[in-house]
Amino acid sequence: MIRLIALDFDGTIAARKQPFDETMIEYVHRWKEKGIETVVASGRPFRSLKRELAPYKDEIVLISNNGNLIRRKNSEETLDRFVFDKDAIRPLTAAIEARGLHPIFHVDSYVKGYDLVTLHEQTEREASYIVFYENMYREMTLDDLLKEDVLAVAGYTTPDVFEGLIEEPVIKEGGLTAHLLKSRDPKLSLFEIIGKGSDKWRGLSTYGKMKGIAPEEMIVVGDDRNDAAMIAHGGVGIAMASAPEDVKKVADSICEETPENYGAFRCVDAIVRKEAEDEH
């Protein structure tokens, strides 16, 4: 029995600059009437997801920062938080900077009015990333950063440099999770590094346990490498057609419809409807 639907945001719920609209809201309400909860699981910070989901007036749980922060949209109640081991921050920063890269740190400083921390003057690409997140950032020294609660680390690099980076002991032996996300840029891609033992599935499964919902009672949809773990472990894992091939390989099915055509919603709704028909 389906009890929980988990949707990634960018590239799954919505294409670039596509708003969360009435059609999407109608789907979520329809599932809610059937006793099925919808959550959004994204690499975005909580603030950004809250803004995007503003048209949906009901309460909804947002699993942000790649599974490291679970918070209710309206009440802003924090249900779970998973932060970086501070002992890993300094060697990880050194490994990134040794390759000429600039790390961007996602931090849990929502109440203080910022979500990102930088240590360097930004490149044009890094600046565009920060602008995308409403310029809610602070530039700090590494010593000051170590006083923050770090949720994830991001930056831009090429695939070959990334492959070398993830061989660093702090990542490989430290058990950190690292993703190189798909990119429209032929040269640079966004990398994300998450604390030991964490990813979107850790966040989603943690919430499932809170609600008494088993993995096999979940439908999960995503479009990128940071979605792979939850697609693989959910009862029904769906990869969008735009997902990398390695993500599609761990999925139960592929959603061929695009976000612009409400593809994730239509693919999930078909499964929900079939289950209802089978019960009758």
Side-chain angles (χ1 to χ4, degrees):
M1 181 177 71
I2 300 163
R3 297 179 59 198
L4 184 70
I5 295 165
L7 303 173
D8 167 54
F9 191 82
D10 295 289
T12 300
I13 285 178
R16 189 170 179 81
K17 297 184 179 180
Q18 183 180 3
F20 197 86
D21 62 21
E22 286 300 323
T23 298
M24 299 173 186
I25 292 170
E26 183 180 331
Y27 275 110
V28 176
H29 281 164
R30 185 188 308 165
W31 299 334
K32 187 176 181 180
E33 289 172 0
K34 295 178 181 292
I36 303 171
E37 182 179 358
T38 302
V39 301
V40 178
S42 172
R44 287 182 181 235
F46 170 77
R47 187 191 314 272
S48 179
L49 282 181
K50 182 180 174 73
R51 179 194 67 209
E52 295 292 346
L53 273 291
Y56 183 77
K57 301 304 180 184
D58 294 355
E59 188 66 278
I60 188 170
V61 168
L62 305 178
I63 303 175
S64 65
N65 299 96
N66 282 310
N68 292 321
L69 188 63
I70 306 175
R71 190 172 280 162
R72 299 188 190 279
K73 175 176 71 76
N74 294 344
S75 71
E76 299 185 350
E77 176 190 4
T78 298
L79 303 178
D80 182 71
R81 197 174 69 120
F82 187 96
V83 301
F84 249 94
D85 179 352
K86 291 188 184 297
D87 289 340
I89 297 296
R90 196 178 293 276
L92 177 60
T93 300
I96 294 170
E97 292 178 336
R99 288 166 170 79
L101 310 178
H102 295 169
I104 301 170
F105 299 87
H106 286 250
V107 297
D108 185 21
S109 293
Y110 176 74
V111 297
K112 292 187 282 187
Y114 58 94
D115 305 310
L116 306 173
V117 169
T118 63
L119 305 178
H120 304 272
E121 184 176 346
Q122 302 149 29
T123 66
E124 182 177 347
R125 189 66 184 273
E126 292 156 2
S128 68
Y129 181 88
I130 290 169
V131 167
F132 182 77
Y133 291 127
E134 304 173 71
N135 273 321
M136 297 296 185
Y137 82 101
R138 296 288 186 275
E139 187 172 329
M140 298 181 180
T141 65
L142 181 55
D143 287 340
D144 285 336
L145 170 68
L146 289 170
K147 300 173 186 176
E148 298 280 340
D149 290 323
V150 177
L151 299 169
V153 185
Y156 287 95
T157 190
T158 57
D160 58 328
V161 173
F162 177 76
E163 290 304 316
L165 176 62
I166 60 176
E167 292 299 316
E168 287 283 346
V170 65
I171 297 177
K172 190 172 184 178
E173 298 171 16
L176 306 185
T177 301
H179 308 288
L180 189 67
L181 302 185
K182 64 185 183 183
S183 175
R184 292 183 298 274
D185 189 316
K187 295 181 180 179
L188 291 176
S189 296
L190 179 70
F191 69 82
E192 296 176 334
I193 302 173
I194 312 162
K196 182 179 180 179
S198 190
D199 53 27
K200 284 190 185 183
W201 174 243
R202 190 213 65 84
L204 180 58
S205 61
T206 296
Y207 183 66
K209 290 172 185 175
M210 290 178 186
K211 299 297 295 284
I213 299 173
E216 56 267 25
E217 297 175 308
M218 302 178 185
I219 299 176
V220 180
V221 193
D223 78 306
D224 214 336
R225 293 186 178 94
N226 58 346
D227 301 311
M230 67 175 188
I231 289 173
H233 289 94
V236 179
I238 303 172
M240 300 297 287
S242 61
E245 289 303 315
D246 52 324
V247 177
K248 291 179 182 178
K249 286 179 181 178
V250 302
D252 296 301
S253 64
I254 309 301
C255 182
E256 299 293 347
E257 296 277 2
T258 65
E260 291 90 342
N261 292 324
Y262 308 103
F265 293 92
R266 295 171 70 176
C267 289
V268 168
D269 200 57
I271 297 171
V272 171
R273 288 175 180 272
K274 186 177 186 305
E275 182 179 77
E277 291 171 359
D278 291 345
E279 289 176 352
H280 292 87

